[in-house]
PDB file of all heavy atoms in Angstrom:
ATOM      1  N   GLU A 111       7.198  30.113 -62.365  1.00 93.00           N
ATOM      2  CA  GLU A 111       7.204  29.294 -63.580  1.00 93.00           C
ATOM      3  C   GLU A 111       6.812  27.841 -63.299  1.00 93.00           C
ATOM      4  O   GLU A 111       7.469  26.903 -63.728  1.00 93.00           O
ATOM      5  CB  GLU A 111       8.564  29.379 -64.278  1.00 93.00           C
ATOM      6  CG  GLU A 111       8.856  30.767 -64.815  1.00 93.00           C
ATOM      7  CD  GLU A 111      10.147  30.849 -65.618  1.00 93.00           C
ATOM      8  OE1 GLU A 111      10.965  29.896 -65.597  1.00 93.00           O
ATOM      9  OE2 GLU A 111      10.339  31.888 -66.275  1.00 93.00           O
ATOM     10  N   GLY A 112       5.734  27.683 -62.511  1.00 96.00           N
ATOM     11  CA  GLY A 112       5.152  26.367 -62.284  1.00 96.00           C
ATOM     12  C   GLY A 112       5.822  25.501 -61.241  1.00 96.00           C
ATOM     13  O   GLY A 112       5.501  24.320 -61.126  1.00 96.00           O
ATOM     14  N   LYS A 113       6.766  26.068 -60.457  1.00 97.00           N
ATOM     15  CA  LYS A 113       7.392  25.247 -59.418  1.00 97.00           C
ATOM     16  C   LYS A 113       7.780  26.109 -58.219  1.00 97.00           C
ATOM     17  O   LYS A 113       7.976  27.321 -58.334  1.00 97.00           O
ATOM     18  CB  LYS A 113       8.617  24.512 -59.955  1.00 97.00           C
ATOM     19  CG  LYS A 113       9.733  25.418 -60.395  1.00 97.00           C
ATOM     20  CD  LYS A 113      10.923  24.627 -60.915  1.00 97.00           C
ATOM     21  CE  LYS A 113      11.946  25.646 -61.386  1.00 97.00           C
ATOM     22  NZ  LYS A 113      13.269  25.339 -61.128  1.00 97.00           N
ATOM     23  N   TRP A 114       7.881  25.445 -57.054  1.00 97.00           N
ATOM     24  CA  TRP A 114       8.327  26.108 -55.834  1.00 97.00           C
ATOM     25  C   TRP A 114       9.841  26.084 -55.794  1.00 97.00           C
ATOM     26  O   TRP A 114      10.456  25.049 -56.049  1.00 97.00           O
ATOM     27  CB  TRP A 114       7.783  25.402 -54.592  1.00 97.00           C
ATOM     28  CG  TRP A 114       6.331  25.634 -54.384  1.00 97.00           C
ATOM     29  CD1 TRP A 114       5.310  24.776 -54.695  1.00 97.00           C
ATOM     30  CD2 TRP A 114       5.722  26.810 -53.845  1.00 97.00           C
ATOM     31  NE1 TRP A 114       4.112  25.352 -54.370  1.00 97.00           N
ATOM     32  CE2 TRP A 114       4.333  26.601 -53.844  1.00 97.00           C
ATOM     33  CE3 TRP A 114       6.214  28.019 -53.361  1.00 97.00           C
ATOM     34  CZ2 TRP A 114       3.427  27.543 -53.385  1.00 97.00           C
ATOM     35  CZ3 TRP A 114       5.318  28.966 -52.902  1.00 97.00           C
ATOM     36  CH2 TRP A 114       3.942  28.723 -52.909  1.00 97.00           C
ATOM     37  N   GLU A 115      10.443  27.248 -55.507  1.00 97.00           N
ATOM     38  CA  GLU A 115      11.892  27.299 -55.359  1.00 97.00           C
ATOM     39  C   GLU A 115      12.245  28.136 -54.141  1.00 97.00           C
ATOM     40  O   GLU A 115      11.518  29.063 -53.770  1.00 97.00           O
ATOM     41  CB  GLU A 115      12.570  27.859 -56.611  1.00 97.00           C
ATOM     42  CG  GLU A 115      12.194  29.274 -56.980  1.00 97.00           C
ATOM     43  CD  GLU A 115      12.821  29.719 -58.292  1.00 97.00           C
ATOM     44  OE1 GLU A 115      13.370  28.892 -59.041  1.00 97.00           O
ATOM     45  OE2 GLU A 115      12.756  30.914 -58.572  1.00 97.00           O
ATOM     46  N   GLU A 116      13.367  27.759 -53.509  1.00 97.00           N
ATOM     47  CA  GLU A 116      13.810  28.503 -52.340  1.00 97.00           C
ATOM     48  C   GLU A 116      14.221  29.903 -52.770  1.00 97.00           C
ATOM     49  O   GLU A 116      14.929  30.088 -53.758  1.00 97.00           O
ATOM     50  CB  GLU A 116      14.990  27.799 -51.675  1.00 97.00           C
ATOM     51  CG  GLU A 116      15.377  28.424 -50.358  1.00 97.00           C
ATOM     52  CD  GLU A 116      16.422  27.637 -49.597  1.00 97.00           C
ATOM     53  OE1 GLU A 116      16.477  26.398 -49.753  1.00 97.00           O
ATOM     54  OE2 GLU A 116      17.168  28.271 -48.836  1.00 97.00           O
ATOM     55  N   ARG A 117      13.736  30.871 -52.032  1.00 96.00           N
ATOM     56  CA  ARG A 117      14.053  32.268 -52.329  1.00 96.00           C
ATOM     57  C   ARG A 117      15.467  32.531 -51.830  1.00 96.00           C
ATOM     58  O   ARG A 117      15.743  32.480 -50.638  1.00 96.00           O
ATOM     59  CB  ARG A 117      13.057  33.178 -51.621  1.00 96.00           C
ATOM     60  CG  ARG A 117      13.249  34.625 -51.934  1.00 96.00           C
ATOM     61  CD  ARG A 117      12.202  35.458 -51.192  1.00 96.00           C
ATOM     62  NE  ARG A 117      12.276  36.798 -51.701  1.00 96.00           N
ATOM     63  CZ  ARG A 117      11.565  37.256 -52.717  1.00 96.00           C
ATOM     64  NH1 ARG A 117      10.700  36.472 -53.313  1.00 96.00           N
ATOM     65  NH2 ARG A 117      11.708  38.484 -53.132  1.00 96.00           N
ATOM     66  N   SER A 118      16.382  32.787 -52.760  1.00 96.00           N
ATOM     67  CA  SER A 118      17.775  33.043 -52.385  1.00 96.00           C
ATOM     68  C   SER A 118      18.455  33.837 -53.493  1.00 96.00           C
ATOM     69  O   SER A 118      17.992  33.865 -54.643  1.00 96.00           O
ATOM     70  CB  SER A 118      18.527  31.730 -52.155  1.00 96.00           C
ATOM     71  OG  SER A 118      18.653  31.019 -53.368  1.00 96.00           O
ATOM     72  N   VAL A 119      19.552  34.472 -53.136  1.00 96.00           N
ATOM     73  CA  VAL A 119      20.347  35.214 -54.114  1.00 96.00           C
ATOM     74  C   VAL A 119      20.868  34.235 -55.175  1.00 96.00           C
ATOM     75  O   VAL A 119      20.892  34.541 -56.362  1.00 96.00           O
ATOM     76  CB  VAL A 119      21.489  35.984 -53.417  1.00 96.00           C
ATOM     77  CG1 VAL A 119      22.430  36.610 -54.431  1.00 96.00           C
ATOM     78  CG2 VAL A 119      20.915  37.059 -52.489  1.00 96.00           C
ATOM     79  N   ALA A 120      21.250  33.028 -54.738  1.00 95.00           N
ATOM     80  CA  ALA A 120      21.752  32.012 -55.668  1.00 95.00           C
ATOM     81  C   ALA A 120      20.709  31.631 -56.722  1.00 95.00           C
ATOM     82  O   ALA A 120      21.060  31.255 -57.839  1.00 95.00           O
ATOM     83  CB  ALA A 120      22.192  30.775 -54.895  1.00 95.00           C
ATOM     84  N   ASN A 121      19.417  31.756 -56.374  1.00 94.00           N
ATOM     85  CA  ASN A 121      18.344  31.443 -57.329  1.00 94.00           C
ATOM     86  C   ASN A 121      17.875  32.671 -58.109  1.00 94.00           C
ATOM     87  O   ASN A 121      16.843  32.636 -58.763  1.00 94.00           O
ATOM     88  CB  ASN A 121      17.157  30.805 -56.606  1.00 94.00           C
ATOM     89  CG  ASN A 121      17.412  29.368 -56.244  1.00 94.00           C
ATOM     90  OD1 ASN A 121      18.282  28.711 -56.805  1.00 94.00           O
ATOM     91  ND2 ASN A 121      16.665  28.850 -55.278  1.00 94.00           N
ATOM     92  N   GLY A 122      18.603  33.782 -57.993  1.00 93.00           N
ATOM     93  CA  GLY A 122      18.291  34.971 -58.789  1.00 93.00           C
ATOM     94  C   GLY A 122      17.422  36.013 -58.107  1.00 93.00           C
ATOM     95  O   GLY A 122      17.013  36.978 -58.754  1.00 93.00           O
TER      96      GLY A 122
END
Side-chain angles (χ1 to χ4, degrees):
E111 294 185 348
K113 64 180 177 142
W114 287 101
E115 61 185 12
E116 187 172 331
R117 184 180 190 91
S118 67
V119 173
N121 284 340

